[in-house]
Amino acid sequence: MSQQRHESTPGNPGAAAAFPDLPEATIARLPEYLRALHNLEGSDTISSEALAAAAGVNSAKLRKDLSHLGSYGTRGVGYDVALLIEQIEYILGLDQRRAVCLVGVGNLGHALAGYDGFASRGFRIVALFDADPARIGEQISGLTVRHIDDLARVAAEESIAIGVIATPAGAAQAVADQLVTAGVTSILNFAPCVLSVPAGVDVRKVDLAIELQILSFHEHRKASLTALPGGRAPTGNQEAVGS
Amino acid sequence: MSQQRHESTPGNPGAAAAFPDLPEATIARLPEYLRALHNLEGSDTISSEALAAAAGVNSAKLRKDLSHLGSYGTRGVGYDVALLIEQIEYILGLDQRRAVCLVGVGNLGHALAGYDGFASRGFRIVALFDADPARIGEQISGLTVRHIDDLARVAAEESIAIGVIATPAGAAQAVADQLVTAGVTSILNFAPCVLSVPAGVDVRKVDLAIELQILSFHEHRKASLTALPGGRAPTGNQEAVGS
DNA sequence: CGCGATTTGTGCACGCCTTCACAAGCGCCT
DNA sequence: AGGCGCTTGTGAAGGCGTGCACAAATCGCG
Ligand SMILES: NC(=O)c1ccc[n+]([C@@H]2O[C@H](COP(=O)([O-])OP(=O)(O)OC[C@H]3O[C@@H](n4cnc5c(N)ncnc54)[C@H](O)[C@@H]3O)[C@@H](O)[C@H]2O)c1
Ligand SMILES: NC(=O)c1ccc[n+]([C@@H]2O[C@H](COP(=O)([O-])OP(=O)(O)OC[C@H]3O[C@@H](n4cnc5c(N)ncnc54)[C@H](O)[C@@H]3O)[C@@H](O)[C@H]2O)c1
């Protein structure tokens, strides 16, 4: 799944961890906690049990996760909601409202460009790009679609570090290369293909068909189980995508 | 992250595994292999090394995964492409071209409804539902938007086992309940919330903001590392979303 | 027919992650 | 002030997943 892995500062006693060395699994859950916490604003404090339920995880896991970031819960009371939100947002780097660009303003790109879940959760879409001359100049929720050739210039102007790819798979690698050249160091890829990027650039992929295929497997499995004489009803399963 | 987990037929020696008991991690990768294989049709055979590269994984991992499903590679030669495709599609239950319904034909729903990656990778969208009267009757790529109240009837008629939720978060739980009542046993949820479902129902979630937040964390981390005197360029990272 | 080149299948060790279970800490009430 | 109930933080154990490294198997060629 990973072409290269993050190094965990192996044998580097000189440079003390400037940043809490969180397990990947924990990082992937922090956004869940954050979302749950935002739904709970108004409460002053919350117990690990309650927050875990709201985030759909085990309470022990939640406590261990939070302990990793040196968080301050109070025994007998719980966690301070506002403080915890602040902590997690800091760790995730959301206090900076990072600039994001979107490449490929087609079917999916239109939906993404208009999605307010971006804005409300720490990001600003600051630029839309496409290669199709017919689309250049189009206005989408306050932004003008620009030509992909302007990417490098705009990325520098706006200090864009995160790019979203919503082009067909055939164009994705080329777009990724352009993004990297433009200084983008994190890519969210919706095209169903593997991207090759230099070290230091992070890529996350969302592939809808893969999600359905995994569900399909479980359907197939459930069907073959219940068809069995000794078969019993299988247990349900809820998984987050990403991690 | 998981409310309930699949049981792996614990202490159930009577009912032999009717279905290969694949590790969850392997299942999540099979669709990747499948996609890579489809891009390679024309070749007769392929080595684990080459296929692994195309799928973006380690070759040892690929071999172990394939060995789990009792696959037939030939030493010194590689894997038969056509046979492997057939095997994986069978395991994933894709030979049945499963019927899928989509609830919530808004911004995102429109993009999904028109997405041909559904059809080409083993699924048929057979119904679209919405609650907004203004949307009922709308035609989208050959399908008519129906009222959510017709869900149970249509689901039964078309034997729909998989449902996609693309409604606002506030409506998602209610929709999930309706899907479950209608007999749907697998749900792909795009709404940013935790769904509660009975045992036997599988839920997978796609949350775009979470993906960005994870990328944001790595940006934050990279920035704090390079700012360090002893800091060095971090290693790149490529992860699939979904396990 | 035998040999060498190639590639699969897997035993093994290691590390990560999860989960349990409980001691330690905190606040509240008497 | 003291005790009690509640909740956190964590040690330890177990399970899962990964990747190395190599034996076993197969093919092609001389
Ligand atoms: N539509 C969906 O619901 C959906 C869902 C999941 C994944 N995807 C994937 O997302 C991607 C986009 O899907 P879509 O349905 O929006 O496709 P689309 O064809 O509607 O849009 C693609 C857009 O990318 C632009 N483009 C092509 N080459 C480009 C380049 N080199 N640089 C910049 N822009 C370029 C095109 O002009 C077009 O506007 C595809 O890879 C698809 O598989 C789509
Ligand atoms: N737009 C995106 O790019 C995007 C990306 C990621 C996630 N999401 C999530 O996907 C969901 C949909 O997003 P959207 O932008 O399409 O929103 P939207 O408001 O455009 O569409 C929501 C649709 O759901 C329908 N709906 C509401 N209640 C319903 C009910 N009870 N039963 C059936 N239909 C109902 C509405 O009528 C509307 O058509 C949201 O939860 C959003 O957070 C959207």
Side-chain angles (χ1 to χ4, degrees):
Chain A
M1 200 132 314
S2 61
Q3 297 184 323
Q4 307 109 319
R5 291 237 128 233
H6 279 291
E7 64 187 27
S8 39
T9 56
N12 196 6
F19 211 70
D21 207 355
L22 304 177
E24 236 356 84
T26 295
I27 295 159
R29 281 188 295 266
L30 290 182
E32 297 277 0
Y33 304 154
L34 187 57
R35 183 175 46 69
L37 284 166
H38 275 300
N39 288 339
L40 290 169
E41 269 170 318
S43 310
D44 231 28
T45 61
I46 185 167
S47 72
S48 66
E49 201 70 47
L51 183 52
V57 304
N58 181 301
S59 71
K61 200 189 293 190
L62 174 101
R63 286 198 298 277
K64 187 149 287 188
D65 283 343
L66 294 187
S67 77
H68 280 136
L69 41 93
S71 149
Y72 296 76
T74 313
R75 296 173 191 229
V77 178
Y79 298 90
D80 181 301
V81 172
L83 182 63
L84 202 47
I85 289 177
E86 194 180 348
Q87 280 250 353
I88 296 180
E89 288 189 341
Y90 168 73
I91 293 283
L92 294 180
L94 299 179
D95 41 2
Q96 316 187 20
R97 295 197 62 73
R98 294 179 181 279
V100 174
C101 72
L102 170 64
V103 183
V105 192
N107 235 334
L108 179 61
H110 268 88
L112 296 179
Y115 181 43
D116 58 0
F118 269 121
S120 65
R121 286 166 80 186
F123 302 91
R124 295 178 292 128
I125 301 192
V126 297
L128 308 176
F129 298 98
D130 206 298
D132 183 352
R135 290 203 192 274
I136 312 297
E138 186 180 344
Q139 292 281 329
I140 301 176
S141 52
L143 287 172
T144 306
V145 177
R146 311 182 194 226
H147 194 276
I148 181 80
D149 291 346
D150 293 341
L151 199 157
R153 185 176 51 77
V154 176
E157 281 172 8
E158 306 266 11
S159 349
I160 299 176
I162 302 180
V164 177
I165 298 180
T167 67
Q173 181 61 58
V175 169
D177 293 344
Q178 285 176 281
L179 284 169
V180 169
T181 302
V184 167
T185 48
S186 287
I187 296 176
L188 181 55
N189 179 30
F190 283 90
C193 64
V194 175
L195 293 182
S196 163
V197 295
V201 176
D202 289 307
V203 175
R204 292 190 69 86
K205 185 187 9 163
V206 174
D207 189 327
L208 173 54
I210 288 184
E211 300 308 321
L212 287 180
Q213 288 174 350
I214 294 172
L215 286 175
S216 175
F217 168 84
H218 289 302
E219 283 299 319
H220 191 188
R221 189 183 125 279
K222 281 184 270 191
S224 76
L225 275 184
T226 52
L228 258 189
R232 40 174 153 171
T235 301
N237 185 11
Q238 177 150 349
E239 302 199 13
V241 166
S243 154
Chain B
M1 203 130 310
S2 61
Q3 297 185 324
Q4 308 107 324
R5 291 237 125 232
H6 278 289
E7 64 186 28
S8 39
T9 54
N12 195 7
F19 210 71
D21 206 356
L22 304 177
E24 221 22 62
T26 295
I27 296 159
R29 283 187 294 265
L30 290 181
E32 296 276 1
Y33 303 155
L34 188 58
R35 184 174 46 67
L37 285 166
H38 276 300
N39 288 339
L40 290 168
E41 270 171 320
S43 310
D44 229 29
T45 62
I46 186 168
S47 72
S48 66
E49 200 70 44
L51 183 53
V57 302
N58 181 301
S59 70
K61 200 188 295 189
L62 175 106
R63 287 198 297 277
K64 187 153 289 185
D65 284 341
L66 294 188
S67 78
H68 280 136
L69 41 92
S71 148
Y72 296 76
T74 312
R75 296 175 190 224
V77 177
Y79 297 90
D80 182 302
V81 172
L83 182 63
L84 201 48
I85 288 177
E86 194 180 349
Q87 280 248 352
I88 295 180
E89 288 189 341
Y90 168 74
I91 294 283
L92 294 179
L94 299 180
D95 40 3
Q96 315 186 20
R97 293 197 63 71
R98 295 179 182 279
V100 174
C101 72
L102 170 64
V103 183
V105 192
N107 235 333
L108 179 62
H110 268 87
L112 296 178
Y115 182 43
D116 57 1
F118 268 121
S120 64
R121 288 165 79 185
F123 302 92
R124 294 178 293 127
I125 300 191
V126 297
L128 309 176
F129 298 97
D130 206 296
D132 183 353
R135 290 203 191 273
I136 313 296
E138 185 180 346
Q139 293 282 327
I140 301 176
S141 52
L143 288 172
T144 305
V145 177
R146 314 181 192 227
H147 195 275
I148 181 81
D149 291 345
D150 293 341
L151 198 157
R153 185 176 51 77
V154 175
E157 282 172 8
E158 305 266 11
S159 354
I160 299 176
I162 302 181
V164 177
I165 299 180
T167 67
Q173 182 62 58
V175 168
D177 293 342
Q178 285 176 281
L179 284 169
V180 169
T181 302
V184 167
T185 46
S186 287
I187 296 175
L188 181 55
N189 179 29
F190 283 89
C193 64
V194 175
L195 294 182
S196 163
V197 296
V201 176
D202 288 307
V203 174
R204 292 188 69 84
K205 183 183 14 155
V206 175
D207 189 325
L208 173 53
I210 288 183
E211 300 308 320
L212 286 180
Q213 287 175 350
I214 294 173
L215 287 174
S216 175
F217 167 84
H218 289 302
E219 283 298 320
H220 192 186
R221 190 184 126 278
K222 281 184 270 190
S224 76
L225 275 184
T226 52
L228 258 191
R232 39 175 153 171
T235 300
N237 187 11
Q238 176 150 354
E239 303 199 13
V241 166
S243 164

